[in-house]
C-alpha cells in the first residue's frame, strides 16, 4: 500500500478531515486495548451521515467487520470495510461523556493538567463538528473501531477485554467523499479504571476501482443496492 498521507492520534486526541472517494484508510492499533470512535458524513452534503440502524438491519448484524458497509441515511455507501484483522467492531456503545469520564477515571481539568487532562468523546466530537460547520445537534452514532461489545441472553451488554492486540488493523474504503471525525477516547463499557493510552495510526492510500466481484458489493443484496445508489449519485454530479 503506497501511502498518500498518514498521521497518528494519541490517547485522548481528536481529528477530522475530508477524504475523497476511492481511498483506503488503514487504522492501526499501536498497542493492545485500543478504541477509536469515528463519525462519517458526506463531505459534499453534511446533512447526510452514517446511519447506524439502517447499516445494521440491512446487513443482519449488530457489529461490523470485513464485507460490511457504513450506509448513510440516504441509502448510499459512505465506506466499506475491505480488510479486518479483528472480526468485530462495536456499533452500539456510543462515546464517553464528561460525567462518565470523571466518574470512572477521576476528575481532571485542562487548567490543572493542560494537554494531559482526560478528554471525553462527547467533547472531542463537539469541537470537531463545530470546526466543520456543524454543531451539537449533529452528534450522531459512532463506530468504535477495535472494540468488541456483545449482548448476552439476558440483554446485558459486555465489553470483551483482550479483543484488540497490538498491531491490529482495519481498513475502510471510501465510496463517497467523506468527512471523517475521530476521537481516541475509551469505549464507554471498558471496565478498566485506568484511562487507556493507546495511540492509533491512520494511513490513507489509493484504492483499486470496485470490481463486479468485489466482496463488499456482493456481501448482501442490500449492499449492492446501496452501491448502485451511490454510483447514481456521482453520475448525476458529473453531468
Amino acid at each position: 500500500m503506497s501511502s498518500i498521507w498518514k498521521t497518528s492520534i494519541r490517547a485522548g486526541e481528536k481529528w477530522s478531515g475530508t477524504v475523497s472517494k476511492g481511498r483506503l484508510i488503514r487504522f492501526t492499533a499501536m498497542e493492545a486495548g485500543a478504541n477509536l470512535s469515528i463519525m462519517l458524513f458526506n463531505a459534499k452534503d453534511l446533512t447526510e451521515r452514517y446511519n447506524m440502524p439502517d447499516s445494521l438491519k440491512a446487513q443482519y448484524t449488530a457489529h461490523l467487520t470485513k464485507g460490511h458497509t457504513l450506509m448513510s441515511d440516504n441509502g448510499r455507501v459512505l465506506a466499506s470495510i475491505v480488510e479486518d484483522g479483528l472480526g468485530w467492531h462495536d456499533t452500539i456503545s456510543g462515546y464517553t461523556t464528561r460525567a462518565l469520564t470523571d466518574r470512572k477515571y477521576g476528575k481532571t481539568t485542562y487548567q490543572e493538567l493542560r494537554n494531559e487532562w482526560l478528554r471525553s468523546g462527547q467533547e472531542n466530537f463537539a469541537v470537531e463538528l463545530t470546526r466543520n460547520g456543524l454543531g451539537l445537534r449533529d452528534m450522531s452514532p459512532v463506530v468504535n473501531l477495535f472494540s468488541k461489545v456483545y449482548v448476552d441472553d439476558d440483554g446485558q451488554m459486555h465489553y470483551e477485554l483482550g479483543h484488540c492486540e497490538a498491531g491490529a488493523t482495519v481498513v475502510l474504503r471510501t465510496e463517497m467523499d467523506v468527512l471523517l471525525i475521530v476521537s481516541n477516547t475509551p469505549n464507554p463499557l471498558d471496565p478498566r479504571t485506568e484511562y487507556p493510552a493507546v495511540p492509533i495510526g491512520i494511513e490513507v492510500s489509493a484504492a483499486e476501482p470496485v470490481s463486479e466481484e468485489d466482496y463488499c458489493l456482493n456481501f448482501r443484496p442490500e449492499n449492492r443496492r446501496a452501491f448502485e445508489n451511490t454510483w447514481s449519485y456521482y453520475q448525476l454530479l458529473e453531468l
Side-chain angles (χ1 to χ4, degrees), residues 45-203:
D45 179 1
L46 296 177
T47 63
E48 182 177 9
R49 69 280 311 272
Y50 164 66
N51 186 297
M52 181 263 278
D54 285 356
S55 296
L56 300 186
K57 71 182 181 182
Q59 297 173 98
Y60 292 72
T61 186
H63 66 274
L64 296 177
T65 185
K66 181 179 177 179
H68 289 144
T69 62
L70 282 68
M71 298 182 185
S72 80
D73 43 13
N74 285 344
R76 296 189 274 258
V77 183
L78 291 162
S80 304
I81 301 180
V82 295
E83 295 180 30
D84 182 16
L86 290 173
W88 191 302
H89 300 273
D90 168 46
T91 62
I92 57 179
S93 297
Y95 42 76
T96 53
T97 63
R98 178 77 267 148
L100 175 63
T101 303
D102 288 348
R103 184 169 64 249
K104 183 180 288 189
Y105 307 110
K107 187 173 182 178
T108 61
T109 65
Y110 175 78
Q111 287 75 13
E112 290 179 357
L113 300 176
R114 291 296 190 262
N115 288 335
E116 299 305 314
W117 76 297
L118 304 182
R119 300 163 177 83
S120 73
Q122 183 182 47
E123 291 162 318
N124 279 354
F125 283 121
V127 170
E128 293 304 315
L129 287 168
T130 301
R131 284 177 174 170
N132 288 280
L134 297 166
L136 293 179
R137 69 177 185 176
D138 298 296
M139 297 288 271
S140 58
V142 299
V143 178
N144 286 312
L145 299 178
F146 305 109
S147 286
K148 180 176 181 178
V149 172
Y150 64 93
V151 181
D152 65 23
D153 292 339
D154 296 322
Q156 298 297 312
M157 296 169 62
H158 300 274
Y159 176 93
E160 185 168 304
L161 285 168
H163 173 65
C164 174
E165 298 180 349
T169 61
V170 57
V171 180
L172 300 185
R173 182 182 62 207
T174 55
E175 313 297 351
M176 302 179 69
D177 298 334
V178 298
L179 168 63
L180 171 66
I181 304 179
V182 308
S183 176
N184 188 358
T185 41
N187 187 291
L189 297 183
D190 188 334
R192 291 174 290 181
T193 55
E194 183 176 344
Y195 193 91
V198 180
I200 305 291
I202 303 178
E203 188 172 2

Side-chain angles (χ1 to χ4, degrees), residues 1-2 4 20-25 82 171-175 204-210:
M1 186 174 76
S2 180
I4 296 173
S20 62
K21 66 184 179 77
R23 297 287 184 260
L24 298 176
I25 310 174
V82 295
V171 180
L172 300 185
R173 182 182 62 207
T174 55
E175 313 297 351
V204 177
S205 64
E208 294 291 330
V210 177

Side-chain angles (χ1 to χ4, degrees), residues 25-42:
I25 310 174
R26 179 180 296 273
F27 301 92
T28 303
M30 308 306 290
E31 301 171 17
N35 182 82
L36 187 73
S37 303
I38 69 170
M39 288 184 184
L40 282 176
F41 296 80
N42 174 358

